[in-house]
Amino acid sequence: MPLHIFGDIRSGNCLKIRYVARHLNIPFTWEEVDILTGGSRTAAFLAMNPAGQVPTVILDDGRALAQSNAIMLHLAEGSSLIPTDPYERAKMFEWLFWEQYSHEPTVAVCRFQMTYLGKSREDLDPALVRKGNAALALMDSHLRQTQHAFLLPSGISLADVALVAYTRVADQGGFDLAAYPAVQAWISRVEGDLAIDA
Ligand SMILES: N[C@@H](CCC(=O)N[C@@H](CS)C(=O)NCC(=O)O)C(=O)O
């Protein structure tokens, strides 16, 4: 049984899994879940993931796994997307934890409110917008200062996959990516490397 992904095709968290599986040539099937009509809150779904969220996957051995970054880490075990050097690997985790605490809850939430809930840019919480811009500015500053092609010096890693998912569509959350040229250039490089087409 190939990897089975329960996901929402508009969700960056879900697309992370798709990007990794495609990049590593892992066969998978995709089952679309409508999170707005309770598709992730059914008894059957909650039995797989009590948090009631996508992405949730069923691995090829039948076991369930949730949390986008945990799933990516599992799928990419032993691949070039995870640095072997312990410090580099820890730096990758630094970006992954930061993504979940400071980037996704701001950039992705603004996008969710605009694209899923139909809010206008003006309706967004200014504090959330400010924090989202701070997250994008941090990435831009890091990329400018280090002059690295990717977030880690060793090359593309899960840090890039995790962060590109919502950064590349940040404009849909009202963010002006033109203000972050180093981020824009990085997005193009990551999209090229992962062969992200849409
Ligand atoms: N930290 C989780 C977040 C997952 C998450 O927020 N999923 C959203 C879609 S992006 C969801 O399933 N929302 C539906 C719900 O909570 O009912 C991850 O990285 O996988």
Side-chain angles (χ1 to χ4, degrees):
M1 198 176 64
L3 171 74
H4 190 68
I5 306 172
F6 292 90
D8 175 329
I9 201 66
R10 298 168 297 178
S11 151
N13 283 325
C14 299
L15 288 171
K16 290 176 194 175
I17 313 307
R18 213 176 156 95
Y19 298 155
V20 169
R22 285 202 169 145
H23 188 70
L24 299 177
N25 292 317
I26 298 170
F28 67 90
T29 50
W30 179 278
E31 188 167 333
E32 193 65 18
V33 176
D34 188 346
I35 56 172
L36 293 184
T37 57
S40 62
R41 301 283 163 168
T42 63
F45 195 95
L46 292 172
M48 294 184 295
N49 176 7
Q53 292 178 325
V54 288
T56 296
V57 303
I58 301 295
L59 302 170
D60 56 7
D61 62 7
R63 292 183 296 178
L65 188 61
Q67 290 292 330
S68 57
N69 290 351
I71 300 168
M72 288 201 304
L73 282 160
H74 186 70
L75 297 182
E77 184 76 44
S79 80
S80 61
L81 290 174
I82 301 180
T84 48
D85 174 75
Y87 179 74
E88 281 275 295
R89 196 164 56 241
K91 290 300 281 183
M92 180 193 74
F93 278 112
E94 182 180 318
W95 283 112
L96 293 182
F97 291 124
W98 178 79
E99 185 261 347
Q100 284 287 292
Y101 191 76
S102 300
H103 185 285
E104 195 261 12
T106 57
V107 175
V109 169
C110 288
R111 173 177 176 262
F112 177 82
Q113 293 184 357
M114 288 182 69
T115 61
Y116 286 68
L117 306 182
K119 275 194 183 182
S120 72
R121 193 177 178 163
E122 293 68 41
D123 290 335
L124 296 174
D125 173 2
L128 206 56
V129 175
R130 197 168 53 248
K131 286 179 188 168
N133 275 306
L136 295 170
L138 184 151
M139 292 174 67
D140 203 67
S141 158
H142 170 80
L143 289 162
R144 264 186 295 109
Q145 280 172 19
T146 61
Q147 294 286 309
H148 295 146
F150 300 104
L151 292 172
L152 300 180
S154 52
I156 193 161
S157 73
L158 292 184
D160 301 287
V161 184
L163 278 151
V164 86
Y166 284 111
T167 306
R168 64 188 290 272
V169 290
D171 58 328
Q172 296 172 12
F175 297 97
D176 178 14
L177 282 172
Y180 307 106
V183 167
Q184 278 188 316
W186 165 82
I187 290 170
S188 299
R189 287 191 294 273
V190 180
E191 286 180 340
D193 221 85
L194 295 178
I196 297 173
D197 43 16

